[in-house]
Amino acid sequence: MTRAVLGIIGGSGIYDLPGLEDVREETIKSPWGEPSAALTRGVIGGLPIVFLPRHGKGHVLSPSDINYRANIDVLKRAGVTDLVSLSACGSFREELPPGTFVLVDQFVDRTYRRESSFFGRGCVAHVSMAHPVSPRLHVHLAAAAKAEGIAAVQGGTYVCMEGPQFSSLAESLTYKAQGYSVIGMTNMPEAKLAREAEICYASVAMVTDFDCWHPDHDAVTVQDIIRVLNSNASKAKGLVARLARDFPREHEPCPVGSDKALDTALITAPEARDPRLLARLDAVAGRVLNS
Ligand SMILES: CSC[C@H]1O[C@H](OP(=O)(O)O)[C@H](O)[C@@H]1O
Ligand SMILES: Nc1ncnc2[nH]cnc12
């Protein structure tokens, strides 16, 4: 049995996590570079929690500048088994107005300027992303939202754009026509890297705006977003507190294999693997490389 450790990545408007007991900061070094910030470690009802604000303290990192690999690597080193992303997003649907929490279950990756894998020359791996969200985590989030009286829509597709500019009207209308639910700038490659690191991942996409497709809402502005962001952020903190209180203390095996993703992913012959890359993969892939 593996002890569950719940990781929380805070997005725009979420730079700390109140309600933690035994709080301490921990700076963990990563062979993948600088993570967004030091980790905040604490406990809720006996469950270990690790918090990381993805844009850094004071929101100094744009979505393209975040070192997603270092973030996931340090969370893995901190023992995180289950990871919840809290993210602001725009909505493509009338029935998902600002203030709605969407427990997304699919992602479309439109980013192009980010490192999106731990693997590559010297150790190639292909993990499945068919089901990017861990169903157990999704169920616990849905139950926590219900218990907190937070309206949360279950399921939806999050399209991740590069940013930092918001979409043009043509892009927004295209994404809407594709049937996507929400848009943000950060959940990819985060979800891919979590999968490579065998960490169960789920994202709470918190709607702040209707992007620019909506006839009654012309352009998105950060000012408009911030107005909604703050009330979303306080609800999200309640959601996390409830999730942690009710979360199983033993890590539950993932029905879609998130926690064993590397069992079937490595293709490079052992004798052809680059020892320098293997050294950097010590945390992320240690389970399979050292067995
Ligand atoms: C402040 S609006 C744009 C910004 O907000 C979202 O960030 P996060 O996913 O970290 O909450 C979006 O992806 C953009 O980075
Ligand atoms: N409309 C939008 N597009 C991209 N990222 C967002 N984050 C919040 N609102 C957004």
Side-chain angles (χ1 to χ4, degrees):
M1 282 292 204
T2 310
R3 191 180 69 131
V5 178
L6 182 62
I8 306 291
I9 296 186
S12 296
I14 305 184
Y15 311 108
D16 60 10
L17 201 59
L20 292 181
E21 301 148 32
D22 304 333
V23 188
R24 65 195 154 89
E25 287 227 327
E26 190 174 16
T27 302
I28 297 184
K29 281 222 160 297
S30 170
W32 301 95
E34 280 292 309
S36 298
L39 300 177
T40 303
R41 296 191 83 130
V43 176
I44 296 179
L47 181 77
I49 310 285
V50 182
F51 174 76
L52 177 64
R54 69 159 71 83
H55 298 282
K57 290 255 152 75
H59 203 127
V60 291
L61 298 170
S62 95
S64 310
D65 292 332
I66 293 169
N67 187 338
Y68 296 92
R69 293 195 298 190
N71 285 355
I72 295 296
D73 179 72
V74 295
L75 290 167
K76 182 76 182 180
R77 287 176 197 279
V80 169
T81 55
D82 298 84
L83 180 58
V84 172
S85 148
L86 302 173
S87 294
C89 65
S91 162
F92 294 118
R93 300 198 179 171
E94 201 82 58
E95 68 275 18
L96 303 176
T100 310
F101 283 24
V102 186
L103 304 180
V104 294
D105 56 4
Q106 283 295 332
F107 299 100
V108 171
D109 191 355
R110 298 250 317 150
T111 67
Y112 50 83
R113 181 157 103 68
R114 307 174 186 190
E115 296 291 351
S116 62
S117 178
F118 289 107
F119 298 90
R121 183 183 294 267
C123 190
V124 177
H126 303 281
V127 296
S128 168
M129 287 299 292
H131 305 290
V133 167
S134 296
R136 298 297 309 150
L137 206 43
H138 183 105
V139 162
H140 291 303
L141 278 166
K146 189 160 181 228
E148 285 296 298
I150 298 168
V153 173
Q154 294 198 43
T157 298
Y158 172 121
V159 56
C160 191
M161 65 182 300
E162 183 63 51
Q165 301 84 0
F166 293 115
S167 306
S168 69
L169 180 57
E171 287 167 334
S172 193
L173 289 169
T174 304
Y175 299 144
K176 181 171 170 50
Q178 295 286 342
Y180 304 153
S181 313
V182 295
I183 184 162
M185 304 179 190
T186 59
N187 282 195
M188 284 288 174
E190 199 172 83
K192 289 177 172 171
L193 294 165
R195 178 60 54 86
E196 287 187 346
E198 301 190 319
I199 298 174
C200 292
Y201 184 87
S203 180
V204 184
M206 302 175 290
V207 178
T208 52
D209 56 86
F210 274 118
D211 206 47
C212 64
W213 63 270
H214 197 291
D216 302 341
H217 302 269
D218 188 18
V220 193
T221 69
V222 168
Q223 269 67 30
D224 290 343
I225 287 180
I226 286 172
R227 271 189 275 280
V228 186
L229 204 61
N230 293 332
S231 87
N232 280 355
S234 74
K235 282 198 286 178
K237 289 172 183 176
L239 177 70
V240 167
R242 171 69 68 162
L243 175 74
R245 280 202 298 274
D246 297 346
F247 206 71
R249 273 33 186 175
E250 299 288 346
H251 169 70
E252 295 175 312
C254 179
V256 298
S258 313
D259 45 10
K260 296 274 187 289
L262 294 177
D263 275 356
T264 53
L266 294 175
I267 192 161
T268 306
E271 63 280 8
R273 292 178 187 166
D274 177 352
R276 284 165 307 177
L277 177 53
L278 296 186
R280 296 174 92 193
L281 289 167
D282 62 332
V284 159
R287 187 185 71 80
V288 287
L289 291 175
N290 303 326
S291 62

